Amino acid sequence: MEELRNRGKKREGRHRDTWDPFQLNPIGAEKEQKRTCFQLAQYLVAVIVGLAVLTSAVIAKGSLLVLSTLSSPTSLREKKEKQFYMLMLVFCLVWPNFLVFLKSLWRCAFKSFVQPNMKTMSFICVIECLVSLGTSVLVLVVMPQFDVLTNLFISGGVCIVSAILQIVFRLQRETWKIVFPICSLILTLTGYCLLGIDFYVRVESHVPGQSSESFIYIAIGIFSSLLISLCWWENPLQATNSMPETLSELDGFRDFVFVISSILRILVIGAVYLINYALIEDSIEWSDFNLGDADWELLQIGLVLFFLQALCSAACHWFGVVACKIHAVRMSFAVPVCCTGPAVLLLGLILFLTQAQKLDGANHGNITLFCTSLNSLGKDNTTPVVLLEITRSICHTSLNSHYFQWPFSMLALEGLCMWAGFVTCTYYVWKIQVQRIERTSQLFVRRLYESAFIDLSLLLNTKMKVPRARNQESQDDMQKCVIYLCATMWHETYDEMLKILTSMFRLDRYRGDPKEDHKDCFDFESHIFVDDAFMTEKETGKRLVNSYVNDLIQVVIEVYRVFTNKEPDDVSVIDAPYGGRLMFVMPEGNMLYVHLKDKALIRNKKRWSQIMYLYYLLGWKGYIAKNPQKITRQNNPGRESLISMYGEIYMLPQHDSDQKRKFISDDHTYILALDGDTDFQPKAVILLVDRLRMYDNVGAACGRIHPTGMGPMVWYQKFEYAVGHWLQKTAEHVFGSVLCSPGCFSLFRGSALMDDNVMKRYTTTSTRASEYVQYDQGEDRWLCTLLLQQGWRVEYNAASDAYTNSPQEFKEFYNQRRRWGPSTLANTLDLLHSGAETVKRNSSISRLYIFYQMFTVGSSILGPASVTLMIAGAFQFVFKMTGTLSIGIACIPPVFYIIICFITKANSQITIAAIMSIMYAFLMTASLFSIIGDMVIQGTFLTPTGLFLVSMTIMYLVTAILHPEEFGMIIYGLMYFICIPSGYLLLTIYSLVNMNNVSWGTRESNKGDGEVKKRHNTLCDKTCRLCCWDMKIQISQETENLMIQQITGQTAQQAPPIPITNGEITEQAASKPGPQVRLDDIKEEEKEKKTEEESNKIPTDEQKKKEGKNSDAGSSGSADYAEKLSISLSSSDEDDYEDDDDMVMNADETEEVPVSVWVEPVKEEFLKKLTYANMKRNLQEQIRYALRNKDEDDVCEELVLMLTDTLNGELSEVGPEDILPESRLEELEATLTQNARRILRTSRVEKLEKRVRVAIQKTLTAPQVQRLDEGEHDFWEKLLERYLKPIVETQEHKDEVTRELKSLRNKAVFLYFIINVLWVVATFFLQAIGNDIISIKIPKLYPNGTPSGDYLKVEPLSLMFLLSFAVLLVVQFLAMLYHRIYTLIHVVSYRSTEKDYKPKDEVDPDDGNGLTIGNPDASELYITMEDL
């Protein structure tokens, strides 16, 4: 309710100034706020992770101590039992090495294999063998000889080498912090001394179970601890940058080294065990390993302890990593790990004190008598074995001395020293700071953990200095980056434009003032590239912007009003060689550029727009950032980008990001590719940036794309997109690399795009049939293929959500997928063809991943046959047909549709496909209920069909549950199921047969011009509706030959079309449907043609110059290029090949007009800022923004009231919509400035005068008309000439491409047809032979698991395919689980650093009074004589 009142007050304020106070309020324009539930969830996750770390560490450490106690020579267990417990200890040491072996082998197989340096690998293997030797000797030889308390404390000595290296290399950032490693060393040595004294007292006081041999084991234990402490030798060396070449070289082949070293460690552990117990002590009885039924308790205790220790140590390591990644280093990592030792001791004491009474038969008089009486309980089966042995182990300490028990305090003091020693050695863990999301390899030195010392292993393994996210004492927390938002527009509607502009303004609000630092360390610019932005006015022949650009201008103004309650401040209109440019300064100071492309001057369509902005932003802007002296000077000797005003020296906003670019490498320059209708939040962009920051080899990252719209086609796509992202994209991300990063929302790394054979190859002009399919039909997939082939990785982030419009009509959907299907197949086959070379270059792609992709491609190729067989199965279920008959009937519709696609036009094909889709949907619905009914009749779902259906339902349901925000997508699963024949059978046939049609297929019609063009010589134009599909019936005089002649610019003899020139096409009003074109109108146009042509024959001098420079850049080039994209070999009417307007123009028929004439009409749109109503609102907001400090509230409101009254008085006779002339604006500025000065002097705040004066000037500043500087103008001309000049093709080349496309289509259809027919025929003959002869018998089971006695007979081929598909889905499901966990980690870490929008309470009080040179980020900027 409060929100409604606020909106009402704002509307009332606007209504006082104008009769049109109403405005749009786009969804999502409000400020993002931290949601309390997310904050609570974040803290809850941190607490749960911390408890998991502590619990798993305590259980792992306690289990190891119990096993060590049970295998001790002083234990009351039998020899057979001790031998088995010792074997479990060996398995505990082997387990982490086995895990590392599997993970490293997996990475070598699925990622990459790098040939290791034998010298470095040998060095690492020697170190690992020494560490393994120390661990196995300490755990298997020494610890069984000591009591449980000594074993708990002695492990603290493994930090000695780390402490020594910290002291030697002086790794502390502050000198006084060297005290920590010195104290650690002193405390550890003191602990060892106390250990020796304690055992000396035990021996001298004749404590049972102690002898002089204990000193030997103490010495061996200390030596073993020294060997173990070598495990973390890399940590101090990495912190000091010692041995950088060796360490960096090791990172390249670390996986292979771990494969070898883990095997060696396992061998060393086994060798120590065998040497000590088989050779030295000769205590192993091999026959005792054959356990019988009587040994069930022994087996149970041993295996439970082993699994507890193994699983909990692995879980502790994993949860520790998670704690660091979610920014809970102290609460969920350091505190639990440091408390593990005390917690184990406390838990042991509690168990001892509370459970000792349960030891029946024990003497509870005093400790000596109690310990003596325990010896008689060894063979009592009712006594808890674990409790008894732990208690007896404690009795081997000084507590059981007959003389004095005070030496026990030395054991406690030893434990305290050891614990304090490793805590002080790892003091740096408490100060560590990490990025929002960090790689495990950058948080921890080693992938391997030591299960015997899990708590110490985690702390000592934590890097002393994280390379890319150091502690807060360093200012180099995170690499700064610059993001270029690049949206390509192609005939978007008003609402679609509103989405992308709202998203860009949201990011501007999130980033804030670019002159201020942001915690995410990024700057950005927004660029919109509008294709087909110009049209030729009918009456005057002038080249003006069309209605799409007018819509875009209105959207920018409207969104600016929503976000700021005022008009755009700084607007510039710029003429450019490719058309024009509009430049805006967004509310917070970031830049928005709108590039208007004239298809008569530059190639249109999306790929060429991408090439345009890649060369501009990465090529040109990168060049001037590296060579600022190359910028062409203006007439004045000073730099254009350095302006002095009121004692301030600063940069204009449009040059600010270029200046910062000097200090940002290409690796941290990112391109965010967008479509003109994409809707996203700032969070989505930041999450993608995290992926590129975290991994240097990631060339691109994409987010979760959500289709929007209404209707059955959108419902189908919602579930299709969901399944594609949930399973397929996650599997690609986990097992290798994503193959396609969609162009509607993807972040690309600049250095990846600039790599060899990427951007340069991307500029290739299609000349062959295969290139038309691969390059132009799916440009985003081709770009990703180029990146993968060069060794870059493409990732998927499921938490980065973006929304884009999807086709809502059946025809539009089929045309879109007609482009996507062949392009996807062509690019995947290209990647598979170059698989061997790609595996060598790309560390993310392995031979197994190539095999996985081959399997998925094979499954997609067999899709039509599989769907046909599924339909045959439906016929069997529904109509009770035989197998052979059902297959024969199921094959009739696909064959019929193939014939239809070859002999009819595209519109007819889509109409028939829609009708057949409805019939198939009814059949699939009947099949679904028949399968359910059959399971009810059979009394079991354990049939191949029933089991498959049930398992798929459960899997998709679980997957949806794991995506709680998208759980609603599961509702559309039924729509997806009944549309499977349409999507996987009919659509595949339509895409293949129409592969020769390389036109775009969507958004082809143009407002205004397209309407006129489409209706020429149209006798009948009807739109019919069949259920939810729209069908267009159009009858035209033109024949097929005439249509082809029109495309090629020739005149048909049978029925000559009315000639069309630039001067004849009139753009309709923005967002309004144009009037119907009548025959009378066409006749009038014929009469006016001659007069207009004569008026256009006299070119100006400027036209002659332009014709001389751009003789090849006329409209004929654009027409030829449009023809090129519309080449088709299938028979079709005009509506199938709707292309841009003016496609039939020839160069001889078009007269060149000055492009600059479009500037004034555009400027007039922005001059509405100077109306009375807008000026009043703008002035109020400008004053409030300039005086936004809380201390200035009173002065601010007084100024607003007084200046508003002044404005009302000065403009009392002016209408609310009247635009003031320039002279009147100058007078008004002087009056307002004078009144403001008087008010400020009265309030004694003269220092604010400059800020107020600037606010008044911004209010009264008109839009500026600018020109490109000479350097950039020259760049555009050369870029157009080299890569983007409209293509001119000869008729011979077009005919050749036509023949090649037809040949390619025929080959693809034949290959698909043969493969699918072979599959269907094989199944048919298996059915014909009979299940009794060739079949696999599966026992029929009831749901309770009892056999029914019957058998289900399944064909081997069907079962094989079913199992293969099931295995593929299970693999994708497991990949999804893995991906969801790390997505959750990323989301939680983002929430902990999410921006909290707060009002700016403070402004620099010296702002505007002093001399500020340059920007805060431009530390190298200085003033020279040239500047002055």
Side-chain angles (χ1 to χ4, degrees):
M1 196 64 189
E2 187 67 26
E3 184 180 353
L4 294 176
R5 293 194 189 96
N6 292 335
R7 291 205 303 267
K9 290 180 181 179
K10 292 180 180 179
R11 185 177 62 253
E12 290 176 4
R14 295 193 301 268
H15 209 169
R16 297 190 186 97
D17 305 324
T18 179
W19 53 268
D20 186 13
F22 317 110
Q23 68 178 23
L24 294 175
N25 191 7
I27 297 175
E30 64 278 358
K31 288 186 177 181
E32 301 84 1
Q33 296 180 351
K34 284 189 174 183
R35 295 166 64 178
T36 306
C37 59
F38 281 128
Q39 291 179 319
L40 294 177
Q42 173 194 337
Y43 293 126
L44 181 62
V45 169
V47 171
I48 292 174
V49 170
L51 291 176
V53 171
L54 179 61
T55 303
S56 56
V58 168
I59 294 176
K61 201 173 186 70
S63 301
L64 186 81
L65 293 174
V66 171
L67 279 175
S68 177
T69 303
L70 292 175
S71 60
S72 173
T74 59
S75 171
L76 295 179
R77 301 300 96 200
E78 295 180 358
K79 182 179 179 181
K80 181 179 182 179
E81 296 180 40
K82 296 178 184 179
Q83 180 175 300
F84 181 74
Y85 292 136
M86 180 59 66
L87 183 63
M88 293 300 101
L89 264 183
V90 173
F91 288 165
C92 288
L93 297 183
V94 168
W95 172 253
N97 297 283
F98 178 69
L99 291 182
V100 169
F101 171 77
L102 291 180
K103 184 172 184 178
S104 301
L105 187 63
W106 167 274
R107 293 177 65 87
C108 287
F110 270 100
K111 300 300 180 181
S112 67
F113 170 75
V114 179
Q115 190 70 27
N117 182 314
M118 297 306 298
K119 182 178 178 181
T120 304
M121 190 177 74
S122 301
F123 172 75
I124 301 299
C125 289
V126 169
I127 295 292
E128 293 297 325
C129 289
L130 291 176
V131 172
S132 181
L133 176 63
T135 304
S136 53
V137 168
L138 182 63
V139 175
L140 302 180
V141 178
V142 176
M143 289 179 64
Q145 304 296 328
F146 293 158
D147 60 90
V148 64
L149 294 179
T150 303
N151 290 335
L152 175 63
F153 300 148
I154 196 174
S155 60
V158 299
C159 62
I160 288 183
V161 171
S162 180
I164 293 174
L165 292 178
Q166 289 186 54
I167 297 171
V168 171
F169 290 114
R170 296 183 178 274
L171 299 180
Q172 298 73 29
R173 294 183 181 276
E174 299 177 16
T175 307
W176 68 270
K177 288 186 178 179
I178 199 174
V179 171
F180 288 106
I182 292 176
C183 288
S184 173
L185 184 60
I186 294 173
L187 289 170
T188 304
L189 294 176
T190 303
Y192 280 133
C193 293
L194 291 173
L195 175 64
I197 296 173
D198 178 43
F199 269 85
Y200 175 77
V201 172
R202 294 187 195 182
V203 173
E204 294 298 322
S205 58
H206 304 289
V207 173
Q210 304 296 338
S211 65
S212 58
E213 290 184 359
S214 301
F215 298 108
I216 299 176
Y217 288 107
I218 291 175
I220 296 175
I222 294 174
F223 179 72
S224 301
S225 299
L226 289 174
L227 292 180
I228 296 171
S229 61
L230 294 175
C231 183
W232 302 281
W233 64 273
E234 286 184 69
N235 205 348
L237 294 182
Q238 284 187 353
T240 57
N241 292 324
S242 301
M243 302 173 62
E245 295 181 0
T246 302
L247 294 177
S248 60
E249 185 182 38
L250 177 60
D251 289 334
F253 51 83
R254 189 181 293 271
D255 292 318
F256 182 74
V257 171
F258 276 138
V259 170
I260 303 300
S261 63
S262 58
I263 295 175
L264 292 177
R265 285 174 64 106
I266 293 174
L267 293 176
V268 169
I269 293 171
V272 170
Y273 171 71
L274 293 175
I275 291 173
N276 184 69
Y277 292 98
L279 298 180
I280 299 177
E281 296 185 5
D282 193 18
S283 60
I284 296 180
E285 293 290 341
W286 300 105
S287 59
D288 288 343
F289 288 116
N290 296 324
L291 302 180
D293 295 337
D295 301 314
W296 168 246
E297 183 182 6
L298 168 63
L299 185 64
Q300 185 180 23
I301 294 175
L303 290 179
V304 167
L305 290 174
F306 163 67
F307 283 114
L308 280 177
Q309 206 284 330
L311 297 180
C312 287
S313 59
C316 180
H317 177 260
W318 187 81
F319 280 114
V321 173
V322 171
C324 294
K325 289 189 174 184
I326 63 173
H327 296 184
V329 178
R330 295 183 184 178
M331 181 176 71
S332 302
F333 178 69
V335 170
V337 172
C338 289
C339 292
T340 299
V344 171
L345 179 62
L346 181 62
L347 180 63
L349 291 176
I350 292 175
L351 290 175
F352 177 76
L353 294 176
T354 57
Q355 301 297 319
Q357 302 296 329
K358 295 184 179 180
L359 295 176
D360 297 332
N363 190 331
H364 301 285
N366 57 51
I367 188 66
T368 303
L369 295 177
F370 174 76
C371 292
T372 304
S373 64
L374 293 178
N375 295 327
S376 61
L377 301 180
K379 297 182 180 181
D380 189 352
N381 293 329
T382 62
T383 304
V385 174
V386 174
L387 179 61
L388 174 63
E389 294 300 335
I390 291 178
T391 306
R392 289 193 70 256
S393 180
I394 295 176
C395 289
H396 293 155
T397 64
S398 300
L399 284 175
N400 194 22
S401 173
H402 294 276
Y403 301 99
F404 36 78
Q405 297 173 352
W406 63 264
F408 181 78
S409 59
M410 287 190 295
L411 181 61
L413 189 58
E414 172 206 345
L416 179 62
C417 289
M418 291 292 190
W419 179 82
F422 87 82
V423 169
T424 53
C425 182
T426 56
Y427 72 96
Y428 53 86
V429 175
W430 298 83
K431 296 288 292 181
I432 197 172
Q433 295 290 329
V434 296
Q435 293 186 46
R436 177 181 294 113
I437 182 170
E438 190 62 83
R439 297 175 62 180
T440 304
S441 61
Q442 293 185 336
L443 289 171
F444 298 94
V445 180
R446 298 164 52 84
R447 189 176 302 145
L448 177 66
Y449 64 92
E450 299 295 330
S451 60
F453 323 101
I454 185 62
D455 49 344
L456 291 93
S457 174
L458 285 177
L459 287 176
L460 292 171
N461 199 30
T462 306
K463 281 194 175 181
M464 297 180 184
K465 182 179 67 175
V466 178
R468 290 164 55 190
R470 303 178 183 126
N471 58 34
Q472 291 181 335
E473 298 169 5
S474 172
Q475 297 301 316
D476 187 22
D477 286 346
M478 189 183 296
Q479 288 288 341
K480 291 188 177 181
C481 67
V482 59
I483 308 171
Y484 293 109
L485 276 64
C486 299
T488 54
M489 284 194 173
W490 171 251
H491 298 173
E492 269 74 15
T493 64
Y494 190 96
D495 290 335
E496 290 171 342
M497 296 176 184
L498 197 62
K499 290 181 180 180
I500 187 66
L501 265 301
T502 303
S503 300
M504 289 179 172
F505 275 70
R506 277 197 297 252
L507 187 61
D508 171 69
R509 183 172 59 197
Y510 178 85
R511 171 58 184 88
D513 191 345
K515 294 184 176 62
E516 299 175 359
D517 289 333
H518 192 274
K519 64 180 180 180
D520 289 315
C521 298
F522 77 98
D523 294 290
F524 83 97
E525 283 182 2
S526 296
H527 294 261
I528 297 176
F529 295 81
V530 184
D531 262 313
D532 193 18
F534 291 86
M535 60 96 182
T536 303
E537 192 176 44
K538 175 182 175 181
E539 293 79 7
T540 62
K542 296 179 179 179
R543 195 73 171 159
L544 303 176
V545 296
N546 59 21
S547 61
Y548 293 104
V549 178
N550 292 329
D551 284 351
L552 181 59
I553 292 173
Q554 296 303 319
V555 169
V556 173
I557 295 174
E558 192 69 37
V559 173
Y560 207 103
R561 288 173 183 165
V562 171
F563 277 79
T564 64
N565 199 31
K566 58 187 178 72
E567 304 296 305
D569 289 331
D570 301 312
V571 181
S572 298
V573 185
I574 305 171
D575 194 16
Y578 55 81
R581 180 189 300 174
L582 306 179
M583 185 172 67
F584 304 88
V585 179
M586 300 171 80
E588 295 293 340
N590 299 287
M591 297 303 300
L592 168 64
Y593 299 89
V594 178
H595 303 265
L596 308 176
K597 295 174 58 181
D598 188 345
K599 65 181 181 182
L601 302 175
I602 188 173
R603 299 179 193 177
N604 64 338
K605 300 294 176 142
K606 185 174 181 178
R607 179 158 75 97
W608 303 110
S609 293
Q610 290 178 328
I611 293 170
M612 176 183 175
Y613 67 65
L614 290 178
Y615 270 88
Y616 174 54
L617 300 174
L618 300 179
W620 169 250
K621 289 207 169 193
Y623 171 75
I624 63 173
K626 295 176 175 63
N627 303 278
Q629 72 279 5
K630 299 287 186 180
I631 300 178
T632 305
R633 296 291 189 268
Q634 304 296 320
N635 294 330
N636 58 318
R639 295 179 185 169
E640 182 198 13
S641 60
L642 205 56
I643 307 297
S644 178
M645 182 185 297
Y646 308 129
E648 296 181 359
I649 297 180
Y650 61 94
M651 287 191 173
L652 293 177
Q654 61 265 34
H655 300 290
D656 190 34
S657 61
D658 294 338
Q659 172 68 19
K660 294 177 180 178
R661 178 81 180 271
K662 293 199 306 184
F663 310 102
I664 297 175
S665 67
D666 294 332
D667 287 333
H668 298 99
T669 301
Y670 304 139
I671 300 289
L672 181 63
L674 302 166
D675 277 353
D677 58 357
T678 304
D679 184 15
F680 62 92
Q681 295 286 344
K683 162 199 166 186
V685 180
I686 301 305
L687 293 178
L688 292 184
V689 171
D690 288 342
R691 302 305 304 181
L692 268 67
R693 275 183 171 147
M694 186 168 63
Y695 294 101
D696 293 333
N697 67 330
V698 175
C702 62
R704 167 70 165 95
I705 309 301
H706 300 263
T708 58
M710 297 180 64
M713 291 313 306
V714 179
W715 301 341
Y716 172 85
Q717 292 173 85
K718 281 180 179 292
F719 190 78
E720 181 193 31
Y721 274 66
V723 171
H725 286 87
W726 292 350
L727 298 176
Q728 296 170 11
K729 256 191 170 48
T730 54
E732 291 179 350
H733 174 96
V734 172
F735 297 129
S737 175
V738 176
L739 298 188
C740 179
S741 188
C744 59
F745 187 71
S746 293
L747 190 70
F748 293 88
R749 189 187 301 275
S751 58
L753 295 171
M754 299 165 71
D755 198 2
D756 296 341
N757 208 35
V758 178
M759 201 156 77
K760 189 72 173 179
R761 178 81 181 279
Y762 198 56
T763 61
T764 303
T765 302
S766 303
T767 57
R768 296 180 301 172
S770 59
E771 293 174 352
Y772 280 90
V773 174
Q774 182 179 0
Y775 298 176
D776 295 332
Q777 300 294 284
E779 67 290 328
D780 47 3
R781 186 173 284 271
W782 182 41
L783 181 59
C784 290
T785 301
L786 295 176
L787 290 173
L788 293 174
Q789 290 173 338
Q790 287 301 111
W792 295 94
R793 174 176 167 80
V794 181
E795 291 200 343
Y796 165 60
N797 190 310
S800 179
D801 297 300
Y803 301 82
T804 184
N805 282 10
S806 58
Q808 302 185 46
E809 301 296 335
F810 191 84
K811 175 183 176 181
E812 189 180 6
F813 172 74
Y814 258 51
N815 281 329
Q816 182 195 66
R817 300 309 169 92
R818 184 252 301 159
R819 288 188 292 109
W820 287 6
S823 171
T824 299
L825 183 61
N827 280 282
T828 306
L829 291 178
D830 183 19
L831 186 67
L832 296 179
H833 177 70
S834 62
E837 187 64 27
T838 304
V839 168
K840 292 179 183 178
R841 289 190 174 189
N842 199 319
S843 60
S844 299
I845 295 180
S846 63
R847 296 186 184 277
L848 282 176
Y849 182 69
I850 293 294
F851 175 78
Y852 167 80
Q853 288 298 333
M854 291 173 63
F855 185 78
T856 56
V857 169
S859 300
S860 65
I861 291 176
L862 289 174
S866 303
V867 173
T868 302
L869 294 175
M870 184 177 67
I871 298 300
F875 280 126
Q876 280 186 288
F877 274 115
V878 177
F879 302 109
K880 306 303 179 182
M881 297 180 179
T882 62
T884 53
L885 180 61
S886 63
I887 293 177
I889 295 177
C891 291
I892 295 176
V895 174
F896 167 75
Y897 189 62
I898 291 175
I899 298 173
I900 288 296
C901 288
F902 270 104
I903 65 175
T904 62
K905 300 177 176 65
N907 272 354
S908 302
Q909 299 171 27
I910 294 176
T911 302
I912 294 174
I915 297 172
M916 294 179 67
S917 298
I918 296 174
M919 295 180 178
Y920 272 130
F922 284 121
L923 180 61
M924 292 298 295
T925 304
S927 174
L928 175 64
F929 286 103
S930 298
I931 293 173
I932 297 174
D934 182 69
M935 287 190 293
V936 174
I937 294 173
Q938 296 285 343
T940 179
F941 63 87
L942 298 178
T943 63
T945 307
L947 189 62
F948 184 77
L949 180 64
V950 172
S951 60
M952 290 300 99
T953 303
I954 294 175
M955 190 186 72
Y956 283 132
L957 188 62
V958 173
T959 303
I961 292 173
L962 294 175
H963 296 77
E965 293 185 350
E966 304 175 39
F967 182 76
M969 297 294 107
I970 200 70
I971 299 174
Y972 305 119
L974 181 61
M975 180 71 186
Y976 180 81
F977 175 78
I978 65 176
C979 290
I980 284 177
S982 178
Y984 290 90
L985 178 61
L986 301 180
L987 180 56
T988 302
I989 296 173
Y990 176 78
S991 301
L992 286 172
V993 177
N994 291 276
M995 185 187 294
N996 57 317
N997 182 2
V998 291
S999 61
W1000 201 249
T1002 54
R1003 299 183 188 271
E1004 292 290 352
S1005 60
N1006 192 357
K1007 290 190 286 187
D1009 345 14
E1011 192 70 22
V1012 175
K1013 172 203 161 195
K1014 185 173 63 178
R1015 293 180 180 271
H1016 274 306
N1017 298 328
T1018 300
L1019 301 180
C1020 177
D1021 189 1
K1022 296 289 185 181
T1023 300
C1024 302
R1025 190 170 185 86
L1026 177 62
C1027 294
C1028 55
W1029 285 277
D1030 291 333
M1031 296 185 296
K1032 186 180 250 337
I1033 302 175
Q1034 191 176 75
I1035 303 175
S1036 175
Q1037 291 180 352
E1038 288 83 352
T1039 62
E1040 181 177 295
N1041 292 335
L1042 173 59
M1043 186 273 298
I1044 296 176
Q1045 290 170 359
Q1046 275 194 329
I1047 293 178
T1048 57
Q1050 298 175 356
T1051 305
Q1053 295 179 359
Q1054 296 88 344
I1058 297 174
I1060 301 175
T1061 66
N1062 273 353
E1064 293 179 340
I1065 300 175
T1066 305
E1067 183 70 9
Q1068 302 297 323
S1071 303
K1072 296 181 181 179
Q1076 298 295 322
V1077 179
R1078 300 174 300 175
L1079 294 178
D1080 294 339
D1081 298 332
I1082 299 175
K1083 292 179 181 178
E1084 287 294 324
E1085 292 172 2
E1086 291 182 44
K1087 293 179 182 179
E1088 295 173 0
K1089 175 185 174 185
K1090 293 183 179 179
T1091 305
E1092 293 168 353
E1093 286 181 345
E1094 291 175 1
S1095 64
N1096 290 336
K1097 284 182 180 178
I1098 308 175
T1100 61
D1101 294 338
E1102 184 178 351
Q1103 285 177 291
K1104 293 178 181 178
K1105 293 178 182 178
K1106 188 173 292 291
E1107 289 172 359
K1109 286 184 179 179
N1110 302 315
S1111 59
D1112 295 329
S1115 59
S1116 63
S1118 176
D1120 289 336
Y1121 179 66
E1123 293 165 23
K1124 175 185 170 189
L1125 287 182
S1126 303
I1127 293 175
S1128 177
L1129 300 178
S1130 62
S1131 302
S1132 178
D1133 58 11
E1134 276 191 326
D1135 191 51
D1136 295 333
Y1137 299 101
E1138 286 180 8
D1139 253 311
D1140 307 326
D1141 52 286
D1142 307 335
M1143 281 175 53
V1144 297
M1145 293 188 305
N1146 290 323
D1148 299 336
E1149 300 174 88
T1150 307
E1151 295 293 335
E1152 191 74 16
V1153 294
V1155 179
S1156 57
V1157 298
W1158 66 270
V1159 173
E1160 285 302 322
V1162 172
K1163 180 181 176 182
E1164 289 175 3
E1165 287 291 327
F1166 295 105
L1167 283 175
K1168 295 177 182 178
K1169 165 189 176 182
L1170 301 179
T1171 61
Y1172 163 67
N1174 287 334
M1175 275 197 298
K1176 181 178 177 181
R1177 185 172 67 248
N1178 293 351
L1179 180 62
Q1180 294 172 351
E1181 296 301 324
Q1182 290 283 8
I1183 296 298
R1184 290 191 177 104
Y1185 183 80
L1187 307 179
R1188 56 192 183 277
N1189 194 335
K1190 278 189 174 181
D1191 298 336
E1192 300 160 356
D1193 284 347
D1194 296 338
V1195 179
C1196 177
E1197 291 307 316
E1198 183 181 358
L1199 266 177
V1200 168
L1201 292 174
M1202 296 299 296
L1203 295 183
T1204 302
D1205 291 342
T1206 302
L1207 199 64
N1208 291 335
E1210 291 290 327
L1211 304 179
S1212 57
E1213 300 179 356
V1214 177
E1217 304 295 330
D1218 295 341
I1219 298 176
L1220 299 183
E1222 187 174 353
S1223 58
R1224 191 76 178 86
L1225 290 173
E1226 293 177 356
E1227 296 175 2
L1228 186 60
E1229 180 181 349
T1231 304
L1232 290 173
T1233 303
Q1234 183 178 359
N1235 290 346
R1237 185 185 300 115
R1238 185 176 64 252
I1239 296 171
L1240 293 174
R1241 288 180 178 176
T1242 303
S1243 303
R1244 297 182 180 179
V1245 283
E1246 294 87 347
K1247 65 178 182 178
L1248 303 178
E1249 181 181 341
K1250 294 175 184 177
R1251 274 195 264 160
V1252 174
R1253 189 189 311 168
V1254 171
I1256 295 173
Q1257 287 178 344
K1258 283 187 175 182
T1259 303
L1260 304 177
T1261 300
Q1264 303 295 313
V1265 177
Q1266 299 181 5
R1267 298 183 62 181
L1268 293 178
D1269 62 66
E1270 294 179 9
E1272 185 174 342
H1273 191 278
D1274 181 66
F1275 155 76
W1276 283 114
E1277 287 189 339
K1278 291 179 178 177
L1279 179 66
L1280 295 177
E1281 180 66 27
R1282 189 172 302 177
Y1283 298 114
L1284 299 177
K1285 185 171 69 172
I1287 301 172
V1288 179
E1289 290 183 322
T1290 63
Q1291 185 61 38
E1292 291 78 11
H1293 177 70
K1294 295 175 186 176
D1295 295 338
E1296 179 64 26
V1297 171
T1298 300
R1299 286 191 294 270
E1300 288 185 8
L1301 281 169
K1302 185 174 182 180
S1303 176
L1304 179 65
R1305 185 271 309 268
N1306 293 337
K1307 291 176 182 177
V1309 172
F1310 178 77
L1311 179 64
Y1312 254 83
F1313 182 79
I1314 288 299
I1315 294 176
N1316 284 273
V1317 165
L1318 288 175
W1319 185 261
V1320 173
V1321 168
T1323 307
F1324 176 84
F1325 278 107
L1326 286 174
Q1327 289 279 357
I1329 292 172
N1331 289 340
D1332 294 332
I1333 299 175
I1334 301 178
S1335 64
I1336 297 176
K1337 296 182 179 180
I1338 302 176
K1340 182 180 176 182
L1341 301 176
Y1342 291 112
N1344 59 5
T1346 59
S1348 64
D1350 296 332
Y1351 290 91
L1352 298 171
K1353 299 177 182 179
V1354 186
E1355 305 89 359
L1357 205 61
S1358 301
L1359 183 63
M1360 181 190 69
F1361 182 79
L1362 197 65
L1363 289 178
S1364 301
F1365 185 69
V1367 169
L1368 179 64
L1369 286 178
V1370 169
V1371 168
Q1372 292 179 344
F1373 182 77
L1374 295 176
M1376 181 272 300
L1377 291 177
Y1378 177 86
H1379 193 268
R1380 288 309 294 168
I1381 293 172
Y1382 286 93
T1383 300
L1384 175 64
I1385 293 172
H1386 196 177
V1387 170
V1388 173
S1389 64
Y1390 171 79
R1391 294 296 178 186
S1392 65
T1393 60
E1394 188 177 10
K1395 179 177 179 178
D1396 191 9
Y1397 291 90
K1398 295 180 180 179
K1400 297 181 179 179
D1401 295 336
E1402 296 183 1
V1403 179
D1404 187 2
D1406 297 329
D1407 186 20
N1409 296 328
L1411 179 67
T1412 305
I1413 298 179
N1415 294 323
D1417 295 326
S1419 57
E1420 296 184 11
L1421 182 66
Y1422 54 89
I1423 303 300
T1424 65
M1425 290 301 297
E1426 183 183 16
D1427 301 320
L1428 303 176

